Amino acid sequence: MSSTDHETIMNVFQHPDFAGHEQVVFCHDEDTALRALIAVHNTNLGPALGGIRMWPYTSEGEALRDVLRLSRGMTYKSALAGLQLGGGKSVIIGNPRTEKTPELIRAMGKAIDRLAGRYIGAEDSGTTVSDLKTMSEVTTSVAGIVDKEGAAGKRSGDPSPATAYGVFVGIRATVKYRLGRDDLGGLTVAIQGVGNVGYRLGEYLKEAGAELWITDIYDDQLERASKELAAQVVAPDDIFALDVDVFAPCAMGSVINDSSLSQLRAKVIAGAANNQLAENRHGIELMRRGILYAPDYVINAGGIIDIAYERSGHERTKVLRHIERIGDTLSEIFERAKREELPTNQIADQMAEERFRRPAVT
C-alpha cells in the first residue's frame, strides 16, 4: 500500500465519496489472499443490495473510491426504481480471469455473511452466477442465483438480461425526448463495452434496426459482438469522438470526464455503466452542450428490479412491466430538469432523496 492509499483509507470519513455511509468493511483472508471491501450506504428502505465486483484495481484507494460511489448509487437506484431495498456494494481486488478461485469466492461469502443480512450480494463485473452459488454454500446473503422464466424458457439468475432490457427501454425514452423519434431504425449507437449487458443491449438495438459501433478491452468479447451484431469495431480511445446519435457506456465508470467531454459528438448518453460522470459538474457541462444524459442508476435499474422480484416471487410479466417504468421515470426527470433548468443527474438525485431520506425527528 502506498503512503497516499494509506492516508486515503485512514481518512475514510473525510473521503470525498463517503456520502454518509452507514458502514464500510475491509475484508481479508490470509489463506486465499482475499482483499475486499463492503460498503453499506443506506438501509432506510430495506437491506442493502448490490453487486460483488472483482477488478484488478491499481490501488486500494481506487478500490475504496469505486465501492463508495457504487454503493451510494445503489441506494439511489433502488429508491427511484420503487423498491424496498437499500444500497450497498462490494469489490474484490484482483483479476477475475487469473486470480479467482473457489476458495477465494467462499472467503468472500463468509465476509458477507458476517454482516448478518445487512448487505446482500449479487453478480457484477468479474463475478458470475456460478460464483454466487459458490458463496451460497456459506451465506444466505446472496441473490440472483435462482433460475427464472425467460423469453425462451428457463434462464439462470443472471440479472444482466434484465439490465440490458431496461437500458434499451431507457434509450427509447431518451431518444424520443431528445430527438423526437419513436422508431430506432437507422439510429446510430456507439457501445463502450460488450460484456454481458453491453452485448445483450446490442442485440436489442440491432433487432430495432440501429447501426452499431463497439469497443472493448477484451478481444474475445469484441470479436463475438462484431460478428453477431454486425457492428463496426473501433479502438477504445476512438469511441468518444464518433458522430453518432447515442453514446452507450456499458463498461466501467468515470467515462464522462474532462477529456471525453471535449470529444463527444453524440446527442444522447444512455448506457449501463455505473457512475458514468467522473464528477457531478460534468452533468452541468453536458446540459450546456445540449447532450441529454440518462442518469445511470435510473436507466440501468433492470437488474436490481429482477433480483428484487426473485426475493419476493418472480413473475416474468410483472418484472417486465416494472422495468418498462424506467422510461416513464426518465421522462419525468427530463421534464423536471427542463422546467427547473438543472442537469438531469441533479434532478435524479433530488427525486431519489425525496424517497429514501427519513423525515427529521421532532
Side-chain angles (χ1 to χ4, degrees), residues 54-114:
M54 185 169 184
W55 193 255
Y57 295 100
T58 57
S59 69
E60 288 87 350
E62 182 186 17
L64 175 62
R65 181 174 187 266
D66 201 30
V67 78
L68 291 175
R69 283 166 59 88
L70 290 167
S71 174
R72 174 190 178 276
M74 292 305 300
T75 298
Y76 286 69
K77 181 183 300 189
S78 289
L80 276 188
L83 302 174
Q84 295 301 304
L85 292 169
K89 205 81 172 187
S90 59
V91 299
I92 302 171
I93 301 173
N95 189 321
R97 295 197 169 198
T98 60
E99 298 180 70
K100 188 196 300 180
T101 65
E103 293 75 22
L104 182 141
I105 290 298
R106 287 191 190 90
M108 185 63 185
K110 291 177 182 178
I112 291 170
D113 197 60
R114 295 188 190 106

Side-chain angles (χ1 to χ4, degrees), residues 157-235:
D158 177 8
S160 59
T163 302
Y165 181 62
V167 175
F168 176 69
V169 168
I171 287 176
R172 283 190 316 204
T174 310
V175 165
K176 181 176 182 178
Y177 192 89
R178 176 63 178 83
L179 304 179
R181 52 187 293 180
D182 295 301
D183 183 9
L184 301 189
L187 186 78
T188 53
V189 183
I191 304 177
Q192 182 193 43
V194 283
N196 287 341
V197 176
Y199 176 82
R200 289 183 172 93
L201 173 62
E203 288 184 313
Y204 282 117
L205 289 167
K206 179 188 175 185
E207 185 177 351
E211 300 176 25
L212 306 178
W213 283 257
I214 59 172
T215 195
D216 200 289
I217 62 172
Y218 294 120
D219 290 340
D220 55 340
Q221 294 181 170
L222 203 57
E223 183 177 358
R224 175 196 180 199
S226 65
K227 289 180 179 178
E228 299 184 10
L229 301 177
Q232 297 188 45
V233 176
V234 299

Side-chain angles (χ1 to χ4, degrees), residues 275-337:
N275 297 322
Q276 294 171 24
L277 304 182
E279 299 178 38
N280 283 335
R281 65 182 176 85
H282 293 122
I284 299 173
E285 183 62 18
L286 288 174
M287 179 180 70
R288 190 186 71 80
R289 291 170 179 255
I291 301 173
L292 185 58
Y293 171 58
D296 46 50
Y297 61 75
V298 181
I299 196 172
N300 68 14
I304 196 75
I305 293 169
D306 186 70
I307 290 173
Y309 275 82
E310 174 190 306
R311 290 168 48 80
S312 61
H314 194 279
E315 186 177 327
R316 177 174 162 77
T317 55
K318 289 184 178 179
V319 175
L320 291 178
R321 283 201 298 268
H322 198 142
I323 291 173
E324 285 162 3
R325 283 157 46 190
I326 288 173
D328 298 331
T329 302
L330 285 170
S331 296
E332 182 181 354
I333 290 169
F334 299 153
E335 286 292 344
R336 184 164 158 180

